[in-house]
mmCIF file of all heavy atoms in Angstrom:
data_model
loop_
_atom_site.group_PDB
_atom_site.id
_atom_site.type_symbol
_atom_site.label_atom_id
_atom_site.label_comp_id
_atom_site.label_asym_id
_atom_site.label_seq_id
_atom_site.Cartn_x
_atom_site.Cartn_y
_atom_site.Cartn_z
ATOM 1 N N TRP A 1475 -20.179 -0.690 22.530
ATOM 2 C CA TRP A 1475 -20.506 -1.357 23.753
ATOM 3 C C TRP A 1475 -20.714 -2.947 23.533
ATOM 4 O O TRP A 1475 -20.672 -3.742 24.517
ATOM 5 C CB TRP A 1475 -21.824 -0.692 24.402
ATOM 6 C CG TRP A 1475 -21.537 0.506 25.067
ATOM 7 C CD1 TRP A 1475 -21.856 1.803 24.709
ATOM 8 C CD2 TRP A 1475 -20.952 0.705 26.318
ATOM 9 N NE1 TRP A 1475 -21.509 2.738 25.589
ATOM 10 C CE2 TRP A 1475 -20.953 2.133 26.658
ATOM 11 C CE3 TRP A 1475 -20.515 -0.142 27.390
ATOM 12 C CZ2 TRP A 1475 -20.447 2.660 27.904
ATOM 13 C CZ3 TRP A 1475 -19.939 0.396 28.615
ATOM 14 C CH2 TRP A 1475 -19.962 1.812 28.797
ATOM 15 N N LYS A 1476 -21.071 -3.202 22.226
ATOM 16 C CA LYS A 1476 -21.157 -4.613 21.933
ATOM 17 C C LYS A 1476 -22.102 -5.365 22.802
ATOM 18 O O LYS A 1476 -21.921 -6.552 23.185
ATOM 19 C CB LYS A 1476 -19.768 -5.271 21.891
ATOM 20 C CG LYS A 1476 -18.854 -4.662 20.905
ATOM 21 C CD LYS A 1476 -17.499 -5.495 21.010
ATOM 22 C CE LYS A 1476 -16.796 -4.995 22.272
ATOM 23 N NZ LYS A 1476 -15.353 -5.525 22.337
ATOM 24 N N ALA A 1477 -23.287 -4.771 23.103
ATOM 25 C CA ALA A 1477 -24.196 -5.218 24.112
ATOM 26 C C ALA A 1477 -25.586 -5.535 23.617
ATOM 27 O O ALA A 1477 -26.471 -5.944 24.400
ATOM 28 C CB ALA A 1477 -24.217 -4.373 25.371
ATOM 29 N N ASN A 1478 -25.728 -5.203 22.381
ATOM 30 C CA ASN A 1478 -27.069 -5.426 21.815
ATOM 31 C C ASN A 1478 -27.233 -6.880 21.287
ATOM 32 O O ASN A 1478 -26.640 -7.267 20.293
ATOM 33 C CB ASN A 1478 -27.316 -4.466 20.666
ATOM 34 C CG ASN A 1478 -28.817 -4.429 20.160
ATOM 35 O OD1 ASN A 1478 -29.503 -5.440 20.384
ATOM 36 N ND2 ASN A 1478 -29.164 -3.287 19.576
ATOM 37 N N THR A 1479 -27.976 -7.693 22.069
ATOM 38 C CA THR A 1479 -27.876 -9.159 21.854
ATOM 39 C C THR A 1479 -28.958 -9.647 20.834
ATOM 40 O O THR A 1479 -28.955 -10.760 20.412
ATOM 41 C CB THR A 1479 -28.107 -9.912 23.083
ATOM 42 O OG1 THR A 1479 -29.315 -9.634 23.716
ATOM 43 C CG2 THR A 1479 -26.975 -9.674 24.101
ATOM 44 N N SER A 1480 -29.962 -8.881 20.495
ATOM 45 C CA SER A 1480 -31.075 -9.412 19.689
ATOM 46 C C SER A 1480 -31.278 -8.673 18.452
ATOM 47 O O SER A 1480 -32.329 -8.938 17.702
ATOM 48 C CB SER A 1480 -32.339 -9.508 20.529
ATOM 49 O OG SER A 1480 -32.747 -8.178 20.880
ATOM 50 N N ASN A 1481 -30.583 -7.545 18.082
ATOM 51 C CA ASN A 1481 -31.020 -6.749 16.987
ATOM 52 C C ASN A 1481 -29.972 -6.509 15.943
ATOM 53 O O ASN A 1481 -28.710 -6.485 16.191
ATOM 54 C CB ASN A 1481 -31.346 -5.356 17.540
ATOM 55 C CG ASN A 1481 -32.523 -5.383 18.418
ATOM 56 O OD1 ASN A 1481 -33.626 -5.926 18.058
ATOM 57 N ND2 ASN A 1481 -32.478 -4.785 19.615
ATOM 58 N N ASN A 1482 -30.435 -6.346 14.638
ATOM 59 C CA ASN A 1482 -29.746 -5.720 13.583
ATOM 60 C C ASN A 1482 -30.061 -4.224 13.734
ATOM 61 O O ASN A 1482 -31.000 -3.853 14.302
ATOM 62 C CB ASN A 1482 -30.138 -6.194 12.210
ATOM 63 C CG ASN A 1482 -30.016 -7.754 12.094
ATOM 64 O OD1 ASN A 1482 -29.083 -8.365 12.592
ATOM 65 N ND2 ASN A 1482 -31.064 -8.342 11.530
ATOM 66 N N THR A 1483 -29.295 -3.396 12.980
ATOM 67 C CA THR A 1483 -29.562 -1.954 13.059
ATOM 68 C C THR A 1483 -29.419 -1.391 11.698
ATOM 69 O O THR A 1483 -28.490 -1.635 10.900
ATOM 70 C CB THR A 1483 -28.436 -1.241 13.918
ATOM 71 O OG1 THR A 1483 -28.498 -1.727 15.224
ATOM 72 C CG2 THR A 1483 -28.772 0.281 13.978
ATOM 73 N N VAL A 1484 -30.545 -0.705 11.331
ATOM 74 C CA VAL A 1484 -30.540 0.132 9.961
ATOM 75 C C VAL A 1484 -30.424 1.585 10.376
ATOM 76 O O VAL A 1484 -31.204 2.031 11.153
ATOM 77 C CB VAL A 1484 -31.737 -0.238 9.153
ATOM 78 C CG1 VAL A 1484 -31.743 0.556 7.846
ATOM 79 C CG2 VAL A 1484 -31.897 -1.674 8.891
ATOM 80 N N TYR A 1485 -29.489 2.289 9.777
ATOM 81 C CA TYR A 1485 -29.171 3.656 10.259
ATOM 82 C C TYR A 1485 -29.151 4.686 9.101
ATOM 83 O O TYR A 1485 -28.837 4.258 7.897
ATOM 84 C CB TYR A 1485 -27.775 3.616 10.881
ATOM 85 C CG TYR A 1485 -27.120 4.970 11.159
ATOM 86 C CD1 TYR A 1485 -27.260 5.496 12.501
ATOM 87 C CD2 TYR A 1485 -26.403 5.594 10.190
ATOM 88 C CE1 TYR A 1485 -26.729 6.664 12.743
ATOM 89 C CE2 TYR A 1485 -25.902 6.840 10.513
ATOM 90 C CZ TYR A 1485 -25.957 7.395 11.773
ATOM 91 O OH TYR A 1485 -25.341 8.579 12.048
ATOM 92 N N ALA A 1486 -29.564 5.867 9.326
ATOM 93 C CA ALA A 1486 -29.357 6.968 8.391
ATOM 94 C C ALA A 1486 -29.148 8.267 9.144
ATOM 95 O O ALA A 1486 -29.552 8.371 10.275
ATOM 96 C CB ALA A 1486 -30.612 7.096 7.417
ATOM 97 N N ASP A 1487 -28.582 9.356 8.532
ATOM 98 C CA ASP A 1487 -28.231 10.480 9.191
ATOM 99 C C ASP A 1487 -28.335 11.757 8.310
ATOM 100 O O ASP A 1487 -28.546 11.586 7.018
ATOM 101 C CB ASP A 1487 -26.989 10.462 10.005
ATOM 102 C CG ASP A 1487 -25.747 10.459 9.225
ATOM 103 O OD1 ASP A 1487 -25.660 10.959 8.019
ATOM 104 O OD2 ASP A 1487 -24.631 9.908 9.597
ATOM 105 N N ASN A 1488 -28.224 12.921 8.850
ATOM 106 C CA ASN A 1488 -28.383 14.151 8.168
ATOM 107 C C ASN A 1488 -27.095 14.590 7.363
ATOM 108 O O ASN A 1488 -27.139 15.533 6.692
ATOM 109 C CB ASN A 1488 -28.790 15.319 9.147
ATOM 110 C CG ASN A 1488 -27.675 15.631 10.202
ATOM 111 O OD1 ASN A 1488 -26.665 14.984 10.245
ATOM 112 N ND2 ASN A 1488 -28.067 16.469 11.145
ATOM 113 N N LYS A 1489 -26.026 13.684 7.468
ATOM 114 C CA LYS A 1489 -24.949 13.956 6.553
ATOM 115 C C LYS A 1489 -24.925 13.050 5.231
ATOM 116 O O LYS A 1489 -24.076 13.008 4.516
ATOM 117 C CB LYS A 1489 -23.609 13.646 7.321
ATOM 118 C CG LYS A 1489 -23.323 14.731 8.457
ATOM 119 C CD LYS A 1489 -23.150 16.143 8.002
ATOM 120 C CE LYS A 1489 -22.766 16.984 9.147
ATOM 121 N NZ LYS A 1489 -23.818 17.238 10.108
ATOM 122 N N GLY A 1490 -26.032 12.330 5.234
ATOM 123 C CA GLY A 1490 -26.293 11.441 3.993
ATOM 124 C C GLY A 1490 -25.736 10.094 4.138
ATOM 125 O O GLY A 1490 -25.725 9.276 3.252
ATOM 126 N N ASN A 1491 -25.195 9.728 5.336
ATOM 127 C CA ASN A 1491 -24.753 8.345 5.619
ATOM 128 C C ASN A 1491 -25.908 7.381 5.832
ATOM 129 O O ASN A 1491 -26.857 7.709 6.424
ATOM 130 C CB ASN A 1491 -23.866 8.295 6.865
ATOM 131 C CG ASN A 1491 -22.617 9.212 6.763
ATOM 132 O OD1 ASN A 1491 -21.784 8.951 5.901
ATOM 133 N ND2 ASN A 1491 -22.403 10.120 7.637
ATOM 134 N N ILE A 1492 -25.735 6.128 5.242
ATOM 135 C CA ILE A 1492 -26.628 5.081 5.653
ATOM 136 C C ILE A 1492 -25.745 3.886 6.129
ATOM 137 O O ILE A 1492 -24.600 3.750 5.618
ATOM 138 C CB ILE A 1492 -27.589 4.689 4.504
ATOM 139 C CG1 ILE A 1492 -26.764 4.212 3.280
ATOM 140 C CG2 ILE A 1492 -28.530 5.811 4.153
ATOM 141 C CD1 ILE A 1492 -27.765 3.661 2.103
ATOM 142 N N ALA A 1493 -26.222 3.165 6.926
ATOM 143 C CA ALA A 1493 -25.359 1.927 7.460
ATOM 144 C C ALA A 1493 -26.259 0.796 7.924
ATOM 145 O O ALA A 1493 -27.458 0.997 8.228
ATOM 146 C CB ALA A 1493 -24.468 2.401 8.651
ATOM 147 N N TYR A 1494 -25.628 -0.363 7.991
ATOM 148 C CA TYR A 1494 -26.212 -1.505 8.446
ATOM 149 C C TYR A 1494 -25.280 -2.400 9.288
ATOM 150 O O TYR A 1494 -24.165 -2.622 8.933
ATOM 151 C CB TYR A 1494 -26.800 -2.407 7.339
ATOM 152 C CG TYR A 1494 -27.413 -3.742 7.786
ATOM 153 C CD1 TYR A 1494 -28.667 -3.768 8.409
ATOM 154 C CD2 TYR A 1494 -26.723 -4.912 7.704
ATOM 155 C CE1 TYR A 1494 -29.181 -4.994 8.811
ATOM 156 C CE2 TYR A 1494 -27.178 -6.163 8.061
ATOM 157 C CZ TYR A 1494 -28.472 -6.090 8.672
ATOM 158 O OH TYR A 1494 -29.011 -7.248 9.166
ATOM 159 N N TRP A 1495 -25.702 -2.840 10.508
ATOM 160 C CA TRP A 1495 -24.903 -3.706 11.363
ATOM 161 C C TRP A 1495 -25.815 -4.941 11.551
ATOM 162 O O TRP A 1495 -26.905 -4.835 11.961
ATOM 163 C CB TRP A 1495 -24.623 -3.159 12.610
ATOM 164 C CG TRP A 1495 -23.638 -1.970 12.662
ATOM 165 C CD1 TRP A 1495 -22.274 -2.017 12.751
ATOM 166 C CD2 TRP A 1495 -23.990 -0.579 12.559
ATOM 167 N NE1 TRP A 1495 -21.746 -0.767 12.762
ATOM 168 C CE2 TRP A 1495 -22.770 0.138 12.612
ATOM 169 C CE3 TRP A 1495 -25.232 0.166 12.458
ATOM 170 C CZ2 TRP A 1495 -22.657 1.472 12.491
ATOM 171 C CZ3 TRP A 1495 -25.137 1.556 12.285
ATOM 172 C CH2 TRP A 1495 -23.858 2.236 12.381
ATOM 173 N N HIS A 1496 -25.215 -6.136 11.318
ATOM 174 C CA HIS A 1496 -26.031 -7.421 11.549
ATOM 175 C C HIS A 1496 -25.576 -7.869 12.930
ATOM 176 O O HIS A 1496 -24.572 -8.562 13.208
ATOM 177 C CB HIS A 1496 -25.608 -8.385 10.537
ATOM 178 C CG HIS A 1496 -26.583 -9.593 10.464
ATOM 179 N ND1 HIS A 1496 -27.802 -9.483 10.029
ATOM 180 C CD2 HIS A 1496 -26.452 -10.916 10.917
ATOM 181 C CE1 HIS A 1496 -28.440 -10.594 10.060
ATOM 182 N NE2 HIS A 1496 -27.644 -11.552 10.566
ATOM 183 N N GLY A 1497 -26.493 -7.712 13.922
ATOM 184 C CA GLY A 1497 -26.165 -8.001 15.288
ATOM 185 C C GLY A 1497 -25.155 -7.042 15.898
ATOM 186 O O GLY A 1497 -24.861 -5.996 15.231
ATOM 187 N N ASN A 1498 -24.725 -7.316 17.085
ATOM 188 C CA ASN A 1498 -23.745 -6.435 17.766
ATOM 189 C C ASN A 1498 -22.995 -7.242 18.743
ATOM 190 O O ASN A 1498 -21.821 -7.107 18.898
ATOM 191 C CB ASN A 1498 -24.524 -5.295 18.365
ATOM 192 C CG ASN A 1498 -23.631 -4.239 19.118
ATOM 193 O OD1 ASN A 1498 -23.740 -4.058 20.312
ATOM 194 N ND2 ASN A 1498 -22.668 -3.663 18.316
#
């Protein structure tokens, strides 16, 4: 959606993935 204007995102899930997005 490319609509998150103020945040980075740190992510993890039950399949063992981890991820990071700087802004959006």
Side-chain angles (χ1 to χ4, degrees):
W1475 283 102
K1476 298 177 290 188
N1478 191 334
T1479 58
S1480 64
N1481 294 309
N1482 308 316
T1483 303
V1484 181
Y1485 169 95
D1487 68 26
N1488 61 2
K1489 296 294 188 290
N1491 296 302
I1492 62 172
Y1494 175 77
W1495 293 268
H1496 196 72
N1498 180 241

